[in-house]
Amino acid sequence: LNLNPRNPVRVLGSIQSMLHHHEIMTIVQKIEKAITDCGFSVYYQNYYDINRIIDFANFPATLFFLLRAFESENIGGIRYDIHDVQIMFAERLPLDFTGQEAETIIDGCKKRADVFVDSLALSADLVLVQHMGGERIYGDYDINLCGYLVQLRLREREIKC
Protein backbone atom coordinates (compact mmCIF):
# COMPACT_ATOMS: atom_id res chain seq x y z
CA LEU A 1 0.00 0.00 0.00
CA ASN A 2 1.59 3.24 -1.15
CA LEU A 3 0.20 6.11 0.90
CA ASN A 4 1.25 9.53 -0.36
CA PRO A 5 0.63 12.14 2.38
CA ARG A 6 0.56 14.88 -0.28
CA ASN A 7 -2.60 13.36 -1.73
CA PRO A 8 -5.10 13.03 1.15
CA VAL A 9 -7.89 11.87 -1.16
CA ARG A 10 -5.79 8.91 -2.26
CA VAL A 11 -4.79 8.15 1.36
CA LEU A 12 -8.43 8.23 2.50
CA GLY A 13 -9.53 6.13 -0.48
CA SER A 14 -6.81 3.54 0.21
CA ILE A 15 -7.74 3.29 3.89
CA GLN A 16 -11.44 3.03 3.07
CA SER A 17 -10.65 0.31 0.52
CA MET A 18 -8.69 -1.67 3.14
CA LEU A 19 -11.42 -1.30 5.71
CA HIS A 20 -14.12 -2.19 3.19
CA HIS A 21 -12.19 -5.32 2.17
CA HIS A 22 -12.01 -6.52 5.76
CA GLU A 23 -15.56 -5.56 6.71
CA ILE A 24 -17.33 -7.38 3.92
CA MET A 25 -15.51 -10.72 4.20
CA THR A 26 -16.80 -13.22 6.72
CA ILE A 27 -14.47 -15.68 8.44
CA VAL A 28 -15.77 -18.37 6.05
CA GLN A 29 -14.91 -16.21 3.03
CA LYS A 30 -11.44 -15.49 4.42
CA ILE A 31 -10.75 -19.20 4.89
CA GLU A 32 -12.08 -19.97 1.41
CA LYS A 33 -9.83 -17.26 -0.03
CA ALA A 34 -6.76 -18.59 1.81
CA ILE A 35 -7.42 -22.08 0.42
CA THR A 36 -8.08 -20.93 -3.16
CA ASP A 37 -4.99 -18.69 -3.01
CA CYS A 38 -3.02 -21.96 -2.64
CA GLY A 39 -4.63 -23.20 -5.86
CA PHE A 40 -6.99 -25.70 -4.22
CA SER A 41 -10.71 -26.11 -4.85
CA VAL A 42 -12.72 -25.55 -1.69
CA TYR A 43 -16.12 -26.56 -0.35
CA TYR A 44 -17.63 -25.30 2.89
CA GLN A 45 -20.44 -27.05 4.71
CA ASN A 46 -21.19 -28.70 7.98
CA TYR A 47 -19.83 -32.18 8.57
CA TYR A 48 -23.23 -33.86 8.27
CA ASP A 49 -23.74 -32.69 4.66
CA ILE A 50 -20.40 -34.00 3.44
CA ASN A 51 -21.91 -36.83 1.37
CA ARG A 52 -24.06 -34.34 -0.55
CA ILE A 53 -21.05 -32.12 -1.22
CA ILE A 54 -18.66 -34.83 -2.38
CA ASP A 55 -21.13 -36.09 -4.95
CA PHE A 56 -20.56 -32.86 -6.91
CA ALA A 57 -17.03 -31.89 -5.85
CA ASN A 58 -14.08 -31.62 -8.22
CA PHE A 59 -11.19 -33.64 -6.82
CA PRO A 60 -8.68 -33.17 -5.38
CA ALA A 61 -10.86 -31.10 -3.08
CA THR A 62 -10.55 -29.20 0.15
CA LEU A 63 -13.52 -29.44 2.51
CA PHE A 64 -13.70 -27.35 5.63
CA PHE A 65 -15.95 -27.10 8.61
CA LEU A 66 -16.14 -24.11 10.94
CA LEU A 67 -16.66 -25.76 14.30
CA ARG A 68 -17.24 -22.85 16.65
CA ALA A 69 -15.90 -19.56 17.89
CA PHE A 70 -13.45 -20.67 20.56
CA GLU A 71 -12.89 -17.28 22.20
CA SER A 72 -12.15 -13.74 21.15
CA GLU A 73 -9.34 -11.23 21.47
CA ASN A 74 -9.72 -7.49 21.85
CA ILE A 75 -7.11 -5.75 19.71
CA GLY A 76 -7.26 -1.98 19.49
CA GLY A 77 -10.86 -1.91 20.64
CA ILE A 78 -12.00 -4.39 17.97
CA ARG A 79 -13.09 -7.92 18.90
CA TYR A 80 -11.61 -10.70 16.77
CA ASP A 81 -13.15 -14.15 17.15
CA ILE A 82 -10.89 -17.19 17.29
CA HIS A 83 -12.40 -20.16 15.44
CA ASP A 84 -11.73 -23.87 15.53
CA VAL A 85 -11.68 -25.18 11.97
CA GLN A 86 -11.30 -28.65 10.47
CA ILE A 87 -9.93 -28.73 6.94
CA MET A 88 -9.84 -31.97 4.97
CA PHE A 89 -7.63 -32.25 1.91
CA ALA A 90 -9.30 -35.11 0.06
CA GLU A 91 -9.02 -37.25 -3.06
CA ARG A 92 -11.13 -39.98 -4.62
CA LEU A 93 -9.87 -43.53 -4.49
CA PRO A 94 -10.26 -45.89 -7.44
CA LEU A 95 -12.88 -48.61 -6.86
CA ASP A 96 -10.24 -51.35 -6.80
CA PHE A 97 -7.63 -49.47 -4.76
CA THR A 98 -4.83 -51.07 -2.78
CA GLY A 99 -3.65 -49.99 0.64
CA GLN A 100 -0.42 -48.65 -0.86
CA GLU A 101 -2.37 -46.52 -3.37
CA ALA A 102 -4.41 -45.03 -0.53
CA GLU A 103 -1.26 -44.22 1.47
CA THR A 104 0.34 -42.52 -1.56
CA ILE A 105 -2.79 -40.43 -2.15
CA ILE A 106 -2.97 -39.47 1.54
CA ASP A 107 0.71 -38.44 1.47
CA GLY A 108 -0.15 -36.05 -1.38
CA CYS A 109 -3.10 -34.69 0.61
CA LYS A 110 -0.81 -34.15 3.61
CA LYS A 111 1.59 -32.18 1.40
CA ARG A 112 -1.30 -29.93 0.31
CA ALA A 113 -2.26 -29.46 3.97
CA ASP A 114 1.33 -28.46 4.77
CA VAL A 115 1.35 -25.95 1.90
CA PHE A 116 -1.85 -24.40 3.22
CA VAL A 117 -0.68 -24.21 6.84
CA ASP A 118 2.64 -22.67 5.73
CA SER A 119 0.76 -20.12 3.59
CA LEU A 120 -1.09 -18.81 6.65
CA ALA A 121 2.12 -17.04 7.72
CA LEU A 122 1.70 -14.83 4.64
CA SER A 123 -2.07 -14.42 4.83
CA ALA A 124 -3.39 -10.87 4.92
CA ASP A 125 -6.65 -12.07 6.48
CA LEU A 126 -5.93 -14.91 8.93
CA VAL A 127 -3.58 -15.70 11.80
CA LEU A 128 -2.77 -19.28 12.79
CA VAL A 129 -3.26 -19.31 16.56
CA GLN A 130 -2.72 -23.05 17.04
CA HIS A 131 -2.20 -26.15 14.92
CA MET A 132 -3.96 -28.89 16.88
CA GLY A 133 -2.77 -31.77 14.75
CA GLY A 134 -3.71 -33.79 11.75
CA GLU A 135 -4.91 -37.25 10.91
CA ARG A 136 -5.12 -39.58 7.95
CA ILE A 137 -8.72 -40.05 6.78
CA TYR A 138 -9.98 -43.24 5.18
CA GLY A 139 -13.39 -42.74 3.62
CA ASP A 140 -16.55 -43.76 5.29
CA TYR A 141 -18.58 -41.81 2.78
CA ASP A 142 -20.84 -42.44 -0.21
CA ILE A 143 -17.78 -42.54 -2.48
CA ASN A 144 -14.30 -43.99 -2.00
CA LEU A 145 -12.48 -41.08 -0.45
CA CYS A 146 -9.34 -40.56 1.58
CA GLY A 147 -7.30 -37.60 2.68
CA TYR A 148 -5.66 -35.68 5.44
CA LEU A 149 -7.55 -33.63 8.02
CA VAL A 150 -6.02 -30.77 10.01
CA GLN A 151 -7.60 -29.04 12.95
CA LEU A 152 -6.60 -25.41 13.32
CA ARG A 153 -7.45 -22.49 15.53
CA LEU A 154 -7.61 -19.33 13.38
CA ARG A 155 -8.16 -15.65 14.09
CA GLU A 156 -8.88 -12.86 11.66
CA ARG A 157 -5.86 -10.61 11.19
CA GLU A 158 -6.25 -7.16 12.67
CA ILE A 159 -6.61 -4.24 10.29
CA LYS A 160 -3.47 -2.17 10.00
CA CYS A 161 -3.55 1.23 8.37
Side-chain angles (χ1 to χ4, degrees):
L1 181 62
N2 184 12
L3 299 179
N4 181 350
R6 296 175 196 243
N7 186 348
V9 172
R10 180 181 167 136
V11 170
L12 179 60
S14 296
I15 292 171
Q16 286 173 334
S17 174
M18 285 174 52
L19 291 172
H20 178 71
H21 168 74
H22 284 275
E23 286 177 340
I24 63 169
M25 288 181 72
T26 66
I27 186 71
V28 170
Q29 290 168 325
K30 289 177 182 184
I31 295 168
E32 286 174 335
K33 180 183 179 304
I35 294 169
T36 58
D37 284 353
C38 290
F40 308 141
S41 62
V42 61
Y43 301 90
Y44 168 73
Q45 196 57 261
N46 65 54
Y47 180 79
Y48 302 102
D49 289 337
I50 191 169
N51 281 315
R52 186 178 54 79
I53 295 166
I54 61 177
D55 285 341
F56 302 102
N58 293 318
F59 286 93
T62 307
L63 309 153
F64 81 94
F65 318 105
L66 194 61
L67 301 178
R68 61 186 162 89
F70 173 71
E71 60 184 45
S72 61
E73 285 183 338
N74 190 331
I75 302 171
I78 300 173
R79 192 183 100 209
Y80 293 91
D81 288 338
I82 298 172
H83 295 272
D84 285 351
V85 181
Q86 286 185 336
I87 304 173
M88 182 169 59
F89 298 84
E91 181 64 90
R92 279 182 182 252
L93 284 167
L95 290 175
D96 56 349
F97 70 94
T98 65
Q100 183 57 44
E101 285 175 309
E103 293 304 315
T104 300
I105 290 170
I106 293 172
D107 288 342
C109 292
K110 184 178 183 318
K111 287 178 184 171
R112 291 200 321 268
D114 292 342
V115 166
F116 172 73
V117 170
D118 290 346
S119 78
L120 289 172
L122 304 174
S123 173
D125 298 314
L126 299 168
V127 174
L128 176 63
V129 175
Q130 184 179 1
H131 188 307
M132 296 176 286
E135 65 182 275
R136 300 170 90 76
I137 301 295
Y138 300 91
D140 187 21
Y141 307 102
D142 288 349
I143 65 171
N144 284 342
L145 185 72
C146 65
Y148 193 77
L149 180 124
V150 291
Q151 186 160 333
L152 307 174
R153 190 161 285 157
L154 300 174
R155 175 181 53 78
E156 294 178 85
R157 188 170 297 281
E158 62 273 12
I159 300 169
K160 294 185 181 179
C161 297

